[in-house]
Amino acid sequence: MNYDQKVQLLIIGDSTVGKTSILSRYTNGEFNPHYLATVGLDFFKKDEVFNGKTIRIKIWDTAGQERYKSLTQGYFRNAEGIMIVYDVTNAVSFENLKYWIQSIKTHIDIDKGEVPAIIIGNKIDIFEREVKKEDAEAFAKEQKFNYFETSAKNGDGINECVKFLVKTILRNNNDKEEELEKKFIQINKENENNNKSSKKMDKCCGKD
Ligand code: GDP
Ligand code: MG
């Protein structure tokens, strides 16, 4: 299938928070209740239409390296958006968000907003939460990330968070293009004005 544009995302967070399950739910609509350590397969893709354009969304998953907290520069290369996941039933995975955010910052300048990132609290279908929604929202706000809650098991919130991220990227790209166009028009105008005034100068000095 043909597509108009490609967007590359990546997903990070502690192991077992549900990263692979979120991607599997989003791209295949499937959920596997048994834990299968991700080996080999390291990306998922799906085509979606936004504003009449087909966007190929490619999401890179960690192939178990997150266990050793050893994500390399190569993993972050070409990322246009990032999903940072914790498990609402696991307070340690929430505490570790700080580590993951730091790890992104050593590779990418996310403070400039060029690579949007969101925080996702997963497994909200389980009632025994260890992390309150308000606490997670407050943390996300303090760190300047948008916050979403999902369940890969029943699908709640999954489409919304991916769509938000992709839309933000497409909007940023559009803004950048418009900015470039404006600059280009401005430069052309300046050149035109310069040409006019140098012609005038030539005339006044009898060179014509
Ligand atoms: P990863 O290591 O972050 O990729 O985590 P996995 O996607 O492999 O999920 C780890 C375990 O949590 C698996 O047994 C999943 O079935 C389970 N799991 C993942 N997401 C959810 C969820 O939203 N709800 C529930 N109840 N279990 C989930
Ligand atoms: Mg996995």
Side-chain angles (χ1 to χ4, degrees):
M1 192 174 158
N2 280 338
Y3 56 90
D4 298 306
Q5 207 177 323
K6 197 157 98 178
V7 163
Q8 300 216 56
L9 312 179
L10 57 88
I11 192 162
I12 63 173
D14 280 9
S15 65
T16 77
V17 296
K19 299 181 296 300
T20 305
S21 301
I22 288 173
L23 300 187
S24 167
R25 163 63 70 191
Y26 176 64
T27 54
N28 316 317
E30 285 169 2
F31 176 73
N32 186 340
H34 306 292
Y35 177 65
L36 297 169
T38 313
V39 261
L41 179 67
D42 48 13
F43 72 82
F44 287 75
K45 66 182 179 199
K46 183 170 178 172
D47 293 341
E48 291 233 48
V49 177
F50 289 88
N51 297 330
K53 278 190 179 167
T54 303
I55 311 296
R56 171 149 301 175
I57 303 163
K58 193 168 175 185
I59 314 175
W60 291 90
D61 190 12
T62 48
Q65 317 91 305
E66 81 275 24
R67 219 170 262 285
Y68 312 102
K69 302 232 185 316
S70 63
L71 298 183
T72 56
Q73 178 79 35
Y75 186 67
F76 291 91
R77 196 180 304 138
N78 301 329
E80 297 174 271
I82 305 178
M83 303 156 89
I84 316 164
V85 188
Y86 80 96
D87 168 357
V88 299
T89 70
N90 174 351
V92 174
S93 73
F94 180 65
E95 281 305 308
N96 281 340
L97 287 178
K98 288 196 193 91
Y99 165 82
W100 292 114
I101 293 167
Q102 196 46 47
S103 148
I104 299 171
K105 285 183 177 169
T106 59
H107 298 289
I108 304 178
D109 195 353
I110 48 172
D111 286 334
K112 276 192 185 159
E114 297 212 342
V115 178
I118 58 171
I119 294 177
I120 299 172
N122 187 42
K123 305 198 189 181
I124 53 166
D125 57 282
I126 303 176
F127 289 109
E128 301 84 34
R129 287 180 72 129
E130 283 188 4
V131 182
K132 282 195 213 132
K133 191 176 182 186
E134 303 87 80
D135 293 345
E137 278 171 342
F139 173 75
K141 198 171 175 192
E142 174 195 304
Q143 300 277 332
K144 301 192 180 70
F145 294 110
N146 280 86
Y147 180 67
F148 292 84
E149 293 204 333
T150 58
S151 162
K153 186 172 180 182
N154 64 26
D156 280 351
I158 304 280
N159 284 335
E160 286 85 341
C161 69
V162 182
K163 280 189 177 160
F164 172 85
L165 202 46
V166 174
K167 277 187 182 168
T168 307
I169 295 164
L170 296 177
R171 196 171 343 102
N172 285 353
N173 286 350
N174 232 356
D175 288 352
K176 263 188 236 157
E177 253 171 50
E178 275 178 17
E179 195 65 27
L180 269 179
E181 269 171 31
K182 268 188 209 155
K183 265 191 196 152
F184 189 73
I185 292 171
Q186 181 67 25
I187 291 171
N188 270 353
K189 256 191 196 156
E190 278 170 16
N191 280 346
E192 223 169 79
N193 288 342
N194 284 344
N195 277 346
K196 271 185 198 155
S197 61
S198 67
K199 270 190 188 148
K200 263 187 203 158
M201 288 262 283
D202 288 350
K203 259 189 191 152
C204 92
C205 307
K207 278 188 189 166
D208 228 3

